Structure formats: structure tokens, C-alpha cells
Amino acid sequence: MTVQIVKSVCRICHGGCGALLTVEDGRLVKVTGDPDSPMSRGWMCVKGMSSPEIANHPDRLTQPLRRRDGKAGGWEPLSWDDALDEISRRVAAIREETGPESVALGQGTGRHHYLHTVRFANALGTPNWYEPGLAQCFIPRISVSNLTYGGFVTGDYYGQTKPECILFWGHNPLVSSADGELAVVAKRCLEQGAVGIAVDPRRSETAQRCQLWLPLRPGTDAALALSMMHVIIRDKIYDQDFVAEWTTGFDQLAEAVRHCPPDWGERITGVPAAQITEAARLYARSKPAILDWGLGIEQNTNCLQTVRAIACLRALSGNIDVPGGDILGMNLLRAYPVLAQELPEAARKKRLGAEQYKLLGGWRAFMPSAHIPALLRAMLHHDPYPVRGLLVFGGNPLLTLANTRQVHAALSKLDLLVVADLFMTPTAALADYVLPAAFWPEVEQVIGYPLVVENMVFAQQKAVQRGECRQDEWIMDELAKRLKLPGCEENLKDVIKQRLEPLGLTHEQLKEKGWAHPPHVYYKYREKGFRTRSKKVELHSSALERLGYDPLPSYQEPPESLVSRPDLAESFPYILITGARRREFFHSEQRQVRSLRKLRPHPQAELHPEQARQHGIASGDWIRVSSPRGSVRMKAVVTENIRPGVVSIEHGWWFPEQEGPDFGLWEANANLLTNNGPPYDPAFGTYQLRGLLCRIEKEEAQADE
Ligand SMILES: Nc1nc2c(c(=O)[nH]1)N[C@H]1C(S)=C(S)[C@@H](COP(=O)(O)OP(=O)(O)OC[C@H]3O[C@@H](n4cnc5c(=O)[nH]c(N)nc54)[C@H](O)[C@@H]3O)O[C@H]1N2
Ligand SMILES: Nc1nc2c(c(=O)[nH]1)N[C@H]1C(S)=C(S)[C@@H](COP(=O)(O)OP(=O)(O)OC[C@H]3O[C@@H](n4cnc5c(=O)[nH]c(N)nc54)[C@H](O)[C@@H]3O)O[C@H]1N2
Ligand code: SF4
Ligand SMILES: [Mo]
């Protein structure tokens, strides 16, 4: 028996945990944390540890499949060569008939092939690619940081100086390890004495370790931030030197928040004024402090101004690029060659939603992509032009996009749907071709962490081969070759080589060492200023003003709320939030992984004892949660750890054990309840996934439950 230990990085979530993979005779048998990793130092979560079970799962897709003509749900295997030849011929035909913009590309959240998909789209000449987060996830935080500070900032969890205070805003890193800020480091900081403040309608796992919990009404975060800034400016506890020397627009901001005292904040957010004042003072007086923001501030139609308000609050504290604060990136890797130059200007103009949602799809966008609701309209109604083909690399849009019914209708109407995945999902089951993708222990890549700032670089190494699985980049490179796409003469190997050049390392050298982690340089702005037009932090944003958006942050009531829709609130009296992360699952994944499913066998909905009493519900009862758009069935968890009147449901639920092609898609899928219709955030086109209205009813249990 040959035994090998291979070093790599887990990428089940956005990743970052260093891993040692034990391979016996070509089979992955064990994955343990790499104690040498400067990020995770030997720690891994339950998902990472279950990697061998996932890699060797009997349901893994292991060969390319083609839908058999006329037989619903029937598949036949074919060779990679045949699959790639046929798919490229069909893509070429659609391109020829109705233009390259008629072929869209889809993907999932920040995976290893994220930027390669953007590269493939540009080379193909289509402006229409999407990712299910983007407008709803991360792009608002990145774009607002770029506009305000000239770069994305991240908590300095990995440096020598520890923060005195961490303000977690709509963020639960102890579970989500989002974007390379691992649960273990946030937890360590709290254990070492950092004071935590959590802004969250749920007392999340992170909030439970904080000194202060501010359970605000969902969707009102901007009002809370404005109110906290009011206190900080009124009490003159902002960093006066930093603000005077390094910011513009302070007087205008001060004037804007003068009208937002804590009792105004209390009326809107439901957080007592005394608590708003206490949190503002604690955050502003602690040095250094991290403001660690998350998804909870983005899944709303006022997300530009919400994220801006919180970004300005951070700037007032002066904790930018200081040791133990929120640091700007080192950006160690060369930018991914996404071949933006290959996308003609005329094609760019056709990007769906680009004109309206300038920070999602326009020229000032960080990573221009299509507006998902507009893309679905083009699939369904060929308006303003037809989108007839979709190639999805690692996404499960039937579970992860809002308004599942519409997504289902749109995907069903396509002339060509190709899905690359690890498993047969409800989305893959609608496809014409299903391609077997490689799982992280089967992948070669380099990755910079935390995401976007790239302060450390890691090598992902292939340790095993499962069936005929191929990594997504290879699939795209092979399609590009057949379609003779410009710029694609270079493949993934060449891309990796280019990206590593600034580090003076070859891929082989990086693999041998596992990672590169040069010392962090703080206070970078003191040399060259911030990378904004004024070279300062822009509290009043000149870039937003030029784009026609409000240059100062403001609060707007969400369009579907108890306040804005009293008519709806009569039949839907509670506030619905969806998708708070669970340790055991990554979005719609791992429901077929026995060890993880055992820990969390059923979809769950959290509610407060007040509502439970009113409806005669006890923990463990089945309940029906309904919105004006649909309903789902979940098990109740009655808990004090949630704001009264808020119902929090899990997202991503389908049942691989049930029969295809639907696999129980219509039972407990949170996106049966969400809405992808207007109004949208004016800059990002964001739709509302949290802070909607709902009602609950107790359900009778079925015999087998
Ligand atoms: N209601 C509601 N909806 C949400 C959210 C919410 O909070 N509430 N969150 C949203 C957010 S922030 C995001 S980012 C999205 C995530 O949305 P998705 O990325 O679509 O979600 P996943 O279920 O993680 O991934 C989809 C598929 O990718 C496959 N996969 C995993 N790794 C690979 C790989 O390397 N290659 C390939 N080809 N396939 C792979 C998985 O098997 C899975 O079937 O969901 C969004 N949807
Ligand atoms: N295990 C696991 N890890 C994951 C993922 C996963 O599916 N599973 N998904 C990954 C992805 S793509 C992402 S984007 C990240 C997200 O990870 P995080 O940024 O940590 O976000 P969430 O856990 O989705 O939500 C954080 C908190 O927001 C709260 N919240 C809901 N509505 C509001 C609101 O209106 N205001 C405020 N202030 N808070 C609100 C929720 O109660 C929740 O506790 O996680 C990543 N990591
Ligand atoms: S936190 Fe993410 S990277 Fe770390 S082991 Fe878990 S799934 Fe893997
Ligand atoms: Mo996300």
C-alpha cells in the first residue's frame, strides 16, 4: 500500500483552512488540519473533516452525462471529447444565430474557478455572467470600501496586535468563516479579551460571546449606524487627528447625522437609545477596534446606503490600516487575467442591467456582471433580447436565487443548459448536459486570503482523482480551445504562473512551502494617500455623486416591512429573515453527506417564545412559514435568542434522498418565499432576501415523523 500526505487548502466554504490529506493507494482516506498553516493553525470545521466522505460519496457525478432525447430524466454517459465537442457546437450555433450575449454563464459563490469563469465569459464575448451572491453578497461591501477608502478592508485577525473591541455587524463568523476570516481566529480574539458587540436580530453563535447584543429590526441597519455616528460626533469621541488629516466631507456628514439622535434610532430600529449610545461609545473609545461586517447588511434594497453608513462609522474611528484594526490589502497576487479587453464595447453595453445598476454592471463596477432578474426576464420573454443558453459552473440557482418558481420556468425554457457539479442537484436535473466537477482535494490553484485583500497566498494541490471528474478551469479551457476564443491560448497553468510573478515564486516552489505570508505593512496610506480621487477617505463620496447617487449615507425604510406595508402586515405580521449560516452545510450542499445530515436532519425555523405561545408551537413541531409568495414546511426552534416577531429560516434545503428531478425542491426551499421583483437597490440592483413579511402556522406531523 502506498501512503501519501499532501498539503492543500480546504475550499468547501470560501476556505482558508490548511489541510493535510492522507491518500492510500490513490484514495482519500483522511483530512486533518495543517498545524503549520498561518491561518488555521491546525483547526478545521466539521465540513472540512468530512471531506473524504464527500470525495468518495457513491452519488458523486463521475462521468459526463447527456439527456436522452424524449426520456424525461433519462441520462446517457458520453466521453469528455464528445461532450465538449457537442456543447461547443451548440454554443457556437446560438452565438451565430442571436449573438454571444444570448449565451449566459452562471456560477456559485467564490469558488476556485470564480475568476476563470469571468475570463471565459469575456473571451466568449458575452457580458452576461452572474453569481448568486454579488448584488446580494460581498460586492456592496467591496465596492463601497473602494469608493470610500480606495480599497477593501478586513479585520486584522492574523496580526500580532489584538483588537480591544470587535463590532460584528450582520455577521456570524464563528459559523460562517466567511471570505477567509476563519471562525477560529475571531473566536480566539474574543477569548483573549476583545470586547464584542453584535448587531443582529438573532443572538447568533458570535453574538452569544459578545458583551453587547443589539437585536435590531431587520433592514434598519443604516438608521442604527447613523445614530451611532450622531453620538460619536456629538460626544467628540471620533479620531479627531485622523478625521482632520485623512477624510473629506466630515462637516457634511456631521450635518446629515445631526438629525439622527439615539431616540430617532430607537424608533426605527427598535434598539433602546441607551444601548445605541453605549455601543457607539464602546466602539469609538476602544483602540484598536475591528468592525467586522457581514451579509446581514446587504440583502436589502437599501444596501448601498446601509453599507456606506457603516463604512463611514468605521472611518470616524480611525482604525483603518492600523495594527489590530481594519486593514487594507497587500494584494500579493497579480490580478487574475480575466481578459476584459476581449469583450467589445458594444457587447459591454448589452450587459443586462448595466445601465441602471452602475455598481453591479456598469464601467465603475468592481467586477461587472449581469442583473439576475433581468437575465431571467431575457430567458423567459426574450426581452430586450433572447438569452437561450446557460452554462453553470458550480451553482444551484433553483435553491440559491430568489423566486424559485420563476427560475424554474426560465431554466426550463432554455435551448441549452449545461451544469458542472459534484452531485445531481435539482438544477443539474434540468440540464441537457451534466459535467462531473472536481472537489477541492482534486484541484490545483493558488488563492490569496482573506479574499480580495490577499495578504497571504496558498497553494491548492491535487491529491486524488475521482472517476473522470475535471476541475472547472480545465472544462472552460477545453471549451475555449474548441471555440477558438481569443486570449485563451494560455491555460490555467500559465495563469497561475503569471499570478505568482510578484512573489518571485514558481507554482512548484509555492506548493512545496504551502504558503507565502510576508509581514503586513500597516499605515500604507501615509506614503501615497488613500486610492480615492481626493487621496483621502471620502465620507462625502465624490464618486457616488458623479454616478448620480447620494454622496452621503441615509436611511430608507425597506419596501416590504411592517411600516411600509401595513396592508400586507395584517395577514403577514412577522418579519422573515433567511439563510443565517449553519456550520454543517454550505448553502444547498451536503444534504447527502450522512455524518453532517445526522447533525442537522431537518430544515429549521427559529422563532421567539412569544410567537410560539400565540400559535401553540413547541420546539420540534412542524410549522408552515408563508410569505405573500409561497410557503415552506420546517421544524420550529423556539428560542430567546431572537428578536420577538422575527422568524429566521434556513436556506438551501432540498432532499437528495427523494426522487428526481425535483428532489423535494418545493417543500422547504427558502427561496419559494423570497421576491426578486422591484424595487431594487439603485446602485447594485439588490433584491430583498431578509426583512420580508411572513406568517406562521402549526402543522400536523406526518406518520413517519
Ligand atoms: N434565501 C436566501 N438565498 C440565498 C442566500 C441567503 O442568505 N438567503 N445567500 C445567497 C448567497 S450570499 C450566496 S453566495 C448564494 C450561494 O449560492 P450557490 O453557490 O449556488 O450555492 P451552493 O449550494 O453552495 O452551490 C451550488 C452547487 O455548487 C456545487 N459545487 C461545489 N463545489 C464545486 C466546484 O468546485 N465545482 C463545481 N462545478 N460545482 C461545485 C455544489 O455541489 C452545489 O450543488 O446563495 C444565495 N442564496
Ligand atoms: N457553514 C457555512 N458557512 C458559510 C456559508 C454557508 O452556507 N454555510 N455561506 C458563505 C457565504 S456565500 C457567505 S456570503 C457568508 C455569510 O456569512 P455571514 O456574513 O456571517 O452572514 P450570515 O450568517 O448569512 O448572516 C449573519 C447574520 O445576519 C443576521 N441578519 C439577518 N438579517 C439582518 C439584518 O437585517 N441586519 C443585521 N444586522 N443582521 C441581520 C442573521 O441573523 C445572521 O446571524 O458565509 C459563508 N460561509
Ligand atoms: S471553515 Fe471552511 S475552509 Fe475551514 S474546514 Fe470548514 S469548510 Fe473547510
Ligand atoms: Mo455569499
Side-chain angles (χ1 to χ4, degrees):
M1 186 168 71
T2 60
V3 181
Q4 256 182 303
I5 307 283
V6 183
K7 222 179 175 53
S8 193
V9 181
C10 176
R11 297 290 308 269
I12 294 179
C13 76
H14 296 143
C17 291
L20 298 174
L21 291 80
T22 308
V23 180
E24 286 178 8
D25 289 337
R27 186 181 163 89
L28 183 67
V29 294
K30 196 163 96 181
V31 172
T32 52
D34 178 358
D36 287 341
S37 163
M39 279 186 75
S40 52
R41 298 191 220 155
W43 179 84
M44 287 191 101
C45 81
V46 280
K47 296 184 296 304
M49 310 279 257
S50 73
S51 295
E53 195 182 340
I54 303 175
N56 302 315
H57 199 289
D59 295 350
R60 273 288 295 278
L61 293 163
T62 54
Q63 50 188 342
L65 300 173
R66 174 176 55 201
R67 177 177 299 286
R68 237 186 243 128
D69 271 340
K71 287 192 192 159
W75 301 98
E76 58 193 352
L78 72 173
S79 70
W80 270 109
D81 267 341
D82 287 349
L84 294 163
D85 286 348
E86 286 180 23
I87 293 167
S88 48
R89 267 203 301 275
R90 290 178 67 173
V91 166
I94 297 177
R95 262 205 328 172
E96 193 66 25
E97 287 158 19
T98 42
E101 65 277 8
S102 292
V103 183
L105 287 174
Q107 61 171 319
T109 177
R111 302 223 160 77
H112 57 92
H113 56 279
Y114 177 63
L115 291 166
H116 217 78
T117 315
V118 182
R119 173 184 164 93
F120 183 53
N122 284 332
L124 192 59
T126 177
N128 292 323
W129 69 275
Y130 79 88
E131 196 252 73
L134 289 192
Q136 285 70 231
C137 167
F138 210 29
I139 282 288
R141 276 171 285 165
I142 298 171
S143 310
V144 163
S145 297
N146 286 343
L147 296 168
T148 311
Y149 324 121
F152 187 60
V153 292
T154 190
D156 188 18
Y157 286 118
Y158 299 100
Q160 298 299 318
T161 309
K162 295 297 165 213
E164 266 194 26
C165 169
I166 312 175
L167 171 48
F168 297 100
W169 203 308
H171 195 30
N172 186 15
L174 263 54
V175 166
S176 64
S177 288
D179 315 313
E181 289 181 354
L182 295 178
V184 66
V185 293
K187 189 162 154 252
R188 206 179 288 142
C189 274
L190 291 171
E191 283 167 358
Q192 288 172 349
V195 170
I197 307 171
V199 179
D200 195 316
R202 293 166 57 240
R203 197 198 296 259
S204 68
E205 292 78 351
T206 304
Q208 286 170 34
R209 290 177 177 263
C210 289
Q211 185 167 316
L212 257 184
W213 172 41
L214 275 50
L216 85 176
R217 176 164 70 92
T220 63
D221 300 79
L224 183 65
L226 294 169
S227 229
M228 285 175 69
M229 286 195 279
H230 174 99
V231 173
I232 289 170
I233 294 174
R234 183 195 65 195
D235 293 1
K236 294 199 169 48
I237 49 175
Y238 56 92
D239 185 329
Q240 298 193 23
D241 293 342
F242 180 81
V243 166
E245 198 172 344
W246 289 111
T247 68
T248 63
F250 176 74
D251 293 341
Q252 287 141 299
L253 179 69
E255 179 55 26
V257 302
R258 206 161 57 80
H259 311 285
C260 311
D263 54 345
W264 172 86
E266 174 175 338
R267 276 196 302 280
I268 295 173
T269 66
V271 177
Q275 245 193 357
I276 297 178
T277 306
E278 186 187 355
R281 288 182 177 156
L282 185 56
Y283 172 64
R285 286 180 175 149
S286 309
K287 293 263 176 177
I290 287 176
L291 194 168
D292 199 357
W293 51 11
L295 190 58
I297 61 175
E298 284 177 332
Q299 295 187 330
N300 252 299
T301 61
N302 57 0
C303 86
L304 168 68
Q305 296 306 347
T306 301
V307 180
R308 267 280 293 162
I310 300 170
C312 290
L313 170 64
R314 176 190 284 125
L316 293 183
S317 80
N319 284 307
I320 296 176
D321 222 15
V322 305
D326 291 312
I327 50 177
L328 288 158
M330 297 282 284
N331 302 102
L332 295 175
L333 289 166
R334 175 154 304 151
Y336 210 94
V338 293
L339 303 178
Q341 72 280 6
E342 301 297 346
L343 188 68
E345 181 59 24
R348 224 169 280 214
K349 286 206 168 119
K350 289 186 178 163
R351 180 175 284 124
L352 292 162
E355 213 160 292
Q356 298 95 308
Y357 309 113
K358 298 191 182 99
L359 291 178
L360 175 71
W363 67 271
R364 196 64 172 72
F366 172 71
M367 185 66 68
S369 69
H371 188 227
I372 293 168
L375 192 61
L376 294 172
R377 196 162 52 243
M379 290 176 186
L380 274 170
H381 307 298
H382 292 190
D383 170 30
Y385 54 76
V387 167
R388 299 164 51 211
L390 173 66
L391 279 59
V392 181
F393 293 93
N396 196 359
L398 283 176
L399 275 302
T400 53
L401 299 186
N403 193 353
T404 306
R405 280 180 207 288
Q406 194 198 49
V407 177
H408 192 273
L411 298 187
S412 305
K413 210 175 157 196
L414 291 168
D415 294 337
L416 174 67
L417 175 62
V418 178
V419 175
D421 206 300
L422 310 176
F423 292 94
M424 183 62 81
T425 64
T427 303
L430 282 184
D432 301 289
Y433 295 88
V434 176
L435 304 176
F439 183 47
W440 72 268
E442 301 150 19
V443 163
E444 294 270 309
Q445 252 297 7
V446 296
I447 172 83
Y449 283 117
L451 296 186
V452 185
V453 301
E454 296 177 351
N455 295 342
M456 307 172 231
V457 170
F458 292 82
Q460 260 192 284
Q461 306 207 50
K462 177 170 171 170
V464 283
Q465 170 69 41
R466 176 84 202 264
E468 291 178 40
C469 297
R470 294 284 186 278
Q471 97 177 62
D472 298 82
E473 295 91 329
W474 179 89
I475 304 174
M476 291 182 236
D477 285 346
E478 287 296 312
L479 287 171
K481 212 156 65 183
R482 283 166 172 78
L483 287 157
K484 300 194 173 52
L485 300 184
C488 294
E489 303 75 20
E490 294 181 333
N491 61 18
L492 176 64
K493 265 202 168 104
D494 304 307
V495 168
I496 291 178
K497 189 166 160 235
Q498 286 168 32
R499 295 204 79 202
L500 286 173
E501 271 163 16
L503 284 166
L505 288 173
T506 64
H507 192 200
E508 291 310 313
Q509 287 166 331
L510 183 72
K511 285 206 270 193
E512 207 155 293
K513 190 162 162 37
W515 42 269
H517 182 21
H520 190 80
V521 179
Y522 295 98
Y523 301 107
K524 292 182 280 296
Y525 60 87
R526 288 183 180 165
E527 289 281 304
K528 291 189 185 159
F530 289 93
R531 287 159 63 187
T532 57
R533 184 179 262 204
S534 62
K535 303 262 186 257
K536 296 190 174 186
V537 169
E538 299 205 350
L539 300 172
H540 177 279
S541 170
S542 58
L544 284 180
E545 191 167 45
R546 279 196 302 282
L547 289 165
Y549 301 115
D550 193 343
L552 286 168
S554 56
Y555 172 69
Q556 209 183 4
E557 181 64 27
E560 183 177 312
S561 82
L562 297 174
V563 176
S564 59
R565 292 297 308 273
D567 55 324
L568 261 189
E570 277 179 29
S571 8
F572 299 95
Y574 304 127
I575 305 175
L576 175 74
I577 57 178
T578 70
R581 291 355 184 194
R582 297 292 180 236
R583 247 179 222 118
E584 297 78 4
F585 301 133
F586 196 69
H587 299 288
S588 70
E589 300 181 44
Q590 291 101 22
R591 302 306 190 281
Q592 61 283 86
V593 180
R594 196 173 296 165
S595 64
L596 296 172
R597 183 71 181 274
K598 218 162 65 189
L599 299 171
R600 208 169 262 285
H602 306 290
Q604 293 185 335
E606 292 172 347
L607 58 141
H608 193 269
E610 269 179 32
Q611 278 65 54
R613 259 195 309 276
Q614 230 164 317
H615 295 271
I617 294 168
S619 273
D621 285 349
W622 283 102
I623 61 169
R624 187 152 291 279
V625 183
S626 312
S627 81
R629 293 155 291 273
S631 80
V632 292
R633 188 171 172 270
M634 294 195 170
K635 275 210 170 198
V637 175
V638 179
T639 170
E640 299 272 356
N641 288 334
I642 192 164
R643 182 186 162 84
V646 175
V647 178
S648 171
I649 63 168
E650 295 177 354
H651 78 306
W653 272 95
W654 59 292
F655 302 88
E657 67 274 18
Q658 290 188 25
E659 209 166 312
D662 287 344
F663 302 104
L665 170 69
W666 309 102
E667 288 179 25
N669 169 6
N671 284 317
L672 292 168
L673 271 53
T674 55
N675 184 8
N676 63 355
Y680 306 112
D681 178 84
F684 297 108
T686 312
Y687 48 66
Q688 213 181 338
L689 289 174
R690 300 185 183 189
L692 295 157
L693 295 180
C694 72
R695 69 163 168 251
I696 51 176
E697 288 134 301
K698 189 172 167 173
E699 284 249 310
E700 291 316 312
Q702 286 162 13
D704 56 349
E705 293 160 350

